C-alpha cells in the first residue's frame, strides 16, 4: 500500500507503473468517484509516451491513445456505465489487448475475463472523503505475469 497526498504524486505513481507495463497488460482500477483513477491514468500515459489528452472516458466508454515513441498504445476504458458482460464484449477490448496496455476504470467484476494476468489497482479515500485528502493505493498482481514484478 502506498499513501498518495496530491494529484501530482498520483501522476508520478502512474509514471512509475508505466515503466512496469508492457503490451498485453490489463490494469483494472477501482475506487470511488473522485479518488484519482483518471489522474493515475494520466501518469501512466505520460510514462508510456502516448498521445493525449487523457480525460475520463465515461461518456465515450473507451479511447485509444497511440504511442508517440514506438511503444504500445494505451487503451483507456471506463466501465462505469456498462450494465454487464455483454456490454463489455461489445467494446471489443480483447481485440487490441495483445499489442496495447489496457487500463479500465470501474472494471472490477466486469473485465477480469479479458486476461489471465492483470494488475488490480485499488484507490481509497480517507474516511471523511474530503477533496484534497490523502489516498491509499494498493496494487495486486494476478497471474504469473506479475510474480516478482511488484
Amino acid at each position: 500500500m502506498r499513501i498518495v497526498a496530491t494529484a501530482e504524486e498520483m501522476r508520478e505513481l502512474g509514471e512509475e507503473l508505466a515503466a512496469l507495463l508492457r503490451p498485453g497488460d490489463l490494469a483494472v482500477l477501482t475506487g470511488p468517484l473522485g479518488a484519482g483513477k483518471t489522474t493515475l491514468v494520466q501518469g501512466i500515459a505520460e510514462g508510456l509516451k502516448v498521445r493525449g489528452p487523457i480525460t475520463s472516458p465515461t461518456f465515450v466508454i473507451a479511447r485509444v491513445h497511440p504511442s508517440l515513441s514506438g511503444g504500445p498504445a494505451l487503451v483507456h476504458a471506463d466501465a462505469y456505465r456498462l450494465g454487464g458482460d455483454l456490454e463489455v464484449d461489445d467494446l471489443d477490448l480483447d481485440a487490441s489487448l495483445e499489442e496495447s496496455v489496457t487500463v479500465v476504470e470501474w472494471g472490477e467484476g466486469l473485465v477480469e475475463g479479458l486476461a489471465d494476468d492483470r494488475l488490480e489497482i485499488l484507490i481509497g479515500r480517507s474516511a471523511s472523503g474530503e477533496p484534497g485528502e490523502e489516498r491509499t493505493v494498493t496494487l495486486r498482481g494476478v497471474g504469473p505475469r506479475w510474480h516478482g514484478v511488484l
Side-chain angles (χ1 to χ4, degrees):
M1 182 170 61
R2 182 161 166 181
I3 303 296
V4 178
T6 66
E8 185 55 38
E9 285 182 19
M10 189 67 80
R11 283 186 200 89
E12 289 170 4
L13 175 58
E15 287 188 58
E16 290 173 29
L17 290 174
L20 302 176
L21 295 169
R22 63 184 191 205
D25 282 344
L26 170 65
V28 182
L29 277 62
T30 303
L33 285 170
K37 295 180 294 296
T38 301
T39 303
L40 181 70
V41 178
Q42 290 170 346
I44 291 171
E46 181 67 30
L48 291 176
K49 297 182 180 14
V50 298
R51 186 180 319 144
I54 305 301
T55 58
S56 178
T58 299
F59 296 103
V60 295
I61 311 296
R63 288 191 176 101
V64 177
H65 298 276
S67 175
L68 297 171
S69 65
L74 171 65
V75 176
H76 181 202
D78 188 323
Y80 184 75
R81 296 188 181 279
L82 300 183
D85 294 341
L86 290 176
E87 290 184 16
V88 171
D89 287 344
D90 287 344
L91 288 179
D92 248 355
L93 292 174
D94 53 348
S96 61
L97 193 63
E98 288 186 24
E99 64 269 0
S100 301
V101 170
T102 302
V103 179
V104 183
E105 297 185 33
W106 300 98
E108 184 178 40
L110 291 171
V111 299
E112 290 86 351
L114 292 174
D116 292 333
D117 302 296
R118 66 185 172 278
L119 177 61
E120 295 177 349
I121 304 170
L122 174 62
I123 304 173
R125 297 178 75 176
S126 68
S128 70
E130 292 296 320
E133 290 200 15
E134 292 180 337
R135 290 357 185 217
T136 59
V137 180
T138 304
L139 304 176
R140 179 176 172 254
V142 175
R145 154 71 176 103
W146 294 101
H147 288 285
V149 174
L150 299 176

